[in-house]
Amino acid sequence: MIVGIDLGTTNSLISVWEHGASRLIPNCLGEVLTPSCVSIDEDGSILVGRAARERLQTHPDRTAAVFKRYMGSDKTLRLGGKEFRAEELSALILRALKEDAEAALGIAITEAIITVPAYFSDAQRKATRAAGQLAGLRVERLLNEPTAAALAYGIHLRDAETRFLVFDLGGGTFDVSVLDLFEGVMEVRASAGDNMLGGEDFMRCLVDYFFEQRKVPVSLKSDHYFLQSLYAQAEAAKRMLSEAATAAIRVVHNETEYQLDIDEQALERICEGMLRRLRDPVERALRDANLRATELDNVVLAGGATRMPMVRRLVARMFGRFPSCDINPDEVVALGAAVQAGLKMRDAALNEVVMTDVAPYSLGIDVSMTLGDGSLSHGHFDPVIERNTPVPVSRVKRYYPVAEQQKQLQLNVFQGEARMCRDNVRLGTLQFALPQLAREDSGVDIRFTYDVNGLLQVDATVVKTAHTHTLVIEGNPGLLTEAEIAARFVALSELKIHPRDRLEHRTLLARGERLYQQIRGNQREWFGAQISAFEQALESQDNRRIDPQRREFETLLNEAEHDSFTIR
Ligand code: AMP
């Protein structure tokens, strides 16, 4: 059985293809969205999902979120004195999802389709695959998120002939894809995006606005606890403004309350720069697909951040029509991943469906150019595979060394669209000896092979000797070697994951701790006593005592959340 996994910046989901349809699998709390958060408990055990998210405010130095942003980089996050790479934290999320699926389906899960932003680079994709390996999963395929969203929609429209654009704004990334659907063939015509733009940035804008508007002591700007509480409030206000006209951000610190009221128009004004950034990839994708906005039959929304009314208005203005959101934007990518799993398992219900994707950015090498006066200009980018070429693809180009009798060739590989390499992303370097011949006899064939997972292989063949060199990415701190993955797999396996059957209680307690920090005075004392009472009931390990206490405690938490509780 192959599962589909949407490993999101904010939330992750797991799905299966069953009886000719996609199904999301709920976690042990009965929820299909598992927050992409990891926390280390005081006893050293790992908490994943909602329990960890609740601890972001109360235990910020033991909890991590939004680490998808650091995939493919060397950055580590410190949790309770231990260092973790983004792959490892992602692996813990994947492990929790895998266990949820195993509990629901009653079988071992070893293979998965994992979705990635279309605009994820080679290093970010390799890191995602490594995260799968670290979680004990064979990654059958890395599937681009907007392509997955298109699959989820396309499966319902498979008899139609239609052309649509997927507008996917997640927590940390923005992707656009233009698709053609024709007789069961789903063809991605073009993809574009921005790897560093997502719903989290809108929240951060709101945080900056809060600091601008409210006089807050400078020391609080670097206070972990204050910031986490502010982020949580800003996030809640941002979501509130998707449904209501106004919202408030209220943070209490040492008996002082800082409050900011904000309305939807103000949010739109302060996020204007980001809304402008959403336009570029849309225009690029349409240009590459050779289409005008009016030639599209439909615009489909994916990613939680498309719930923001200002984003919907922008889409409506750009396309002259209201976007389609028949499928929940939080769930559409995971549902599409399950369709891909069904395709991989050659399910009969998907017999006629074929899916093709494209390379979202150009891939090429660093070359020198001879100028009109005979001098050399270095550092130019020469694409071998142009963006939006259908994948899989393999292209070869012949290059010659700059000098006569050159001994060595250093080949620098880049991705991007800029004219000069310094403005593109460096992927790696390949260095090898040349047979020291005349320039015209020293030709080297450079082959780029880009597979359906978006992973690149570079081979260089010295034509005269037929000797082939394959790119081994060196000095790229963002990547783990196979040996490192194996070692880290062992280390991660030794970490104790909080037992699933006790996670529900742990989540309630973490939520209680967070709410405790938000209230004051004698309310606090009374609320603290309620938390202790629930803890005591748990210690009794007697379900007859625990169950009613749990229900009562949960009601109390809900009331506290809505500011409506009274001391009984
Ligand atoms: P995803 O990565 O698709 O899970 O997207 C999550 C992003 O969507 C986060 O930045 C959330 O803040 C944002 N989001 C989810 N629900 C809403 C909502 N109702 N209003 C505004 N943003 C939302």
Side-chain angles (χ1 to χ4, degrees), residues 1 3 15 21 95 107 175 190 265 270 276 300 316 344 370 417 433 467 498:
M1 164 73 78
V3 293
S15 55
R95 216 159 104 187
I107 49 169
D175 277 324
Q265 282 93 344
I270 61 176
R276 225 174 302 124
V300 164
K344 268 265 169 202
T370 311
E417 311 307 324
H467 199 111
H498 208 86

Side-chain angles (χ1 to χ4, degrees), residues 8-11 170-171 199-200 235 238-239 242 303-305 307-308 330:
T9 308
T10 326
N11 292 301
E200 297 289 331
E235 177 65 24
K238 182 186 78 175
R239 287 175 187 238
S242 295
R307 288 223 165 83
M308 287 188 284
D330 292 323

